[in-house]
Amino acid sequence: MPANLIKRDVITALAARAAGLDQPEGNARLKQVVNRLLVDLMVAIDELDISMDEFWCGIAYLTQAGKQNEFGLIVPGVVLEHFLDLRLDEAEQRAGLAGGTARTIEGPLYIAGAPMSKGEARLDDGTDDGEVLFMEGQVRDVSGKPIAGAIVDVWHANTMGNYSHFDPTQTAFNLRRRIETDAEGRYRFRSIMPSGYACPSGSQTEKLLGAIGRHGNRPAHVHFFVSASGYRKLTTQINIDGDKYLHDDFAFGTRGELIPRVERVADAGEIHKFGLNKPFARIRFDFSMTKEVAGAPATIVTREHAEAA
Ligand code: MBD
Ligand code: FE
């Protein structure tokens, strides 16, 4: 079929009726969004001459993605989660809210309610014989003043790139903790060095990425939510320097400011001091928090999460 078969005002009229614009009932904001997306979709179908087979192939794809609970993975994979970050960054700039640690995507694998501890924690359950990682730092305001009592909610993958809860072979809340900063605003934890996540083979996400010539790998990373009363909640990650996918993340989460130096410690005295018997890795990373201000775009995101059992 040729492209552009339908006049634009026909599309506009169809979308308006389908979105309930001529009805008094219903949610006005939802109508606005449904209307716009329908117009854009019909225009795309007409301009690209999307065939019936292509259309229903797309619907079957989405149906299966929903059944497999994969939208949380497709969204970062097609750059939309990063795009939302860019919009929030820009909105903050315009509201005069500069500074603070860079944000990056949350991703689909957070579980609320991880065990709490004060000052320090061990994240791994000891069953994964990976490289030991000690990470520590300070939570401060943009002027450098330490923030005591901040909550560092940290989660990361194991040496296979898998996350507890989603990986039934791991114990509950393995590699997930909430750490309250001490009087000097400090947090520290012992864990194992994560490996990068790869989209499950056979998943709808992997199928799409493969079909458009892309891979589904992330560099190794550690996720954080940092929150403190009076400050804007920070959602971020650090990436592990040297990873093959460091600047080739399928989820577009890498930011230059979020790649701390990884120190490899092999000195026998240091190893002993840390209570270990083999070399380990050390990362220091401080978080800088901006003050909450009235009217600024919210950084607390309401989003459905998987529930801990
Ligand atoms: C992850 O671990 C992740 O952080 C993102 C954004 C997507 C998939 C897996
Ligand atoms: Fe992740």
Side-chain angles (χ1 to χ4, degrees):
M1 277 192 272
N4 299 311
L5 294 172
I6 305 296
K7 289 205 174 66
R8 180 64 186 239
D9 57 351
V10 172
I11 287 176
T12 308
L14 289 173
R17 278 179 56 216
L21 296 193
D22 58 353
Q23 298 299 317
E25 308 292 312
N27 179 307
R29 172 63 172 169
L30 183 60
K31 290 179 187 213
Q32 179 188 35
V33 173
V34 170
N35 178 243
R36 174 56 185 268
L37 294 180
L38 282 174
V39 169
D40 287 353
L41 188 56
M42 285 190 271
V43 168
I45 289 169
D46 202 32
E47 286 188 357
L48 299 177
D49 187 27
I50 291 174
S51 71
M52 294 223 185
D53 286 359
E54 286 173 334
F55 181 84
W56 291 110
C57 173
I59 296 300
Y61 176 84
L62 294 172
T63 301
Q64 194 57 30
K67 283 185 189 171
Q68 292 172 197
N69 194 22
E70 280 191 57
F71 283 109
L73 193 54
I74 293 171
V75 166
V78 298
V79 86
L80 291 174
E81 195 166 355
H82 176 61
F83 178 69
L84 296 176
D85 277 348
L86 293 184
R87 290 196 74 247
L88 190 45
D89 290 348
E90 190 62 35
E92 285 183 341
Q93 286 272 317
R94 293 181 191 198
L97 281 164
T101 300
R103 69 166 48 79
T104 196
I105 57 173
E106 172 185 325
L109 304 175
Y110 176 72
I111 300 290
M116 280 277 250
S117 54
K118 285 191 194 287
E120 61 184 354
R122 179 167 175 177
L123 275 53
D124 67 298
D125 64 8
T127 61
D128 192 330
D129 191 30
E131 182 183 21
V132 174
L133 167 66
F134 281 96
M135 181 162 172
E136 67 192 292
Q138 202 175 28
V139 179
R140 305 193 198 102
D141 70 12
V142 290
S143 77
K145 190 169 75 68
I147 304 175
I151 303 294
V152 177
D153 195 338
V154 51
W155 72 103
H156 69 78
N158 68 3
T159 56
M160 306 286 287
N162 296 326
Y163 286 78
S164 66
H165 182 90
F166 301 94
D167 169 11
T169 73
Q170 293 184 51
T171 52
F173 291 111
N174 190 37
L175 312 177
R176 301 176 186 274
R177 288 295 184 279
R178 285 177 292 170
I179 304 167
E180 186 180 330
T181 57
D182 66 16
E184 278 89 53
R186 296 189 181 281
Y187 74 92
R188 58 188 166 277
F189 62 80
R190 172 182 169 165
S191 196
I192 50 163
M193 188 62 86
S195 292
Y197 171 93
C199 291
S201 69
S203 64
Q204 291 296 90
T205 313
E206 192 211 47
K207 280 184 206 159
L208 174 63
L209 293 170
I212 57 179
R214 294 179 50 202
H215 66 73
N217 298 287
R218 298 208 67 205
H221 59 278
V222 180
H223 294 265
F224 298 94
F225 285 144
V226 187
S227 37
S229 170
Y231 295 89
R232 290 167 67 68
K233 178 180 174 179
L234 172 66
T235 299
T236 196
Q237 308 174 22
I238 56 132
N239 284 349
I240 304 303
D241 199 3
D243 192 289
K244 177 180 172 202
Y245 295 105
L246 187 61
H247 296 291
D248 187 21
D249 177 6
F250 96 94
F252 304 91
T254 305
R255 296 194 130 174
E257 316 91 288
L258 303 175
I259 309 172
R261 195 168 78 84
V262 180
E263 184 191 348
R264 249 77 198 199
V265 183
D267 176 77
E270 281 294 301
I271 290 171
H272 183 74
K273 212 174 82 186
F274 277 79
L276 300 176
N277 53 22
K278 60 178 186 181
F280 64 99
R282 218 174 157 183
I283 294 174
R284 293 176 176 84
F285 192 82
D286 299 330
F287 296 99
S288 175
M289 306 283 283
T290 55
K291 280 240 157 63
E292 191 55 281
V293 289
T299 59
I300 297 175
V301 178
T302 304
R303 170 173 178 173
E304 211 172 86
H305 295 114
E307 296 276 340

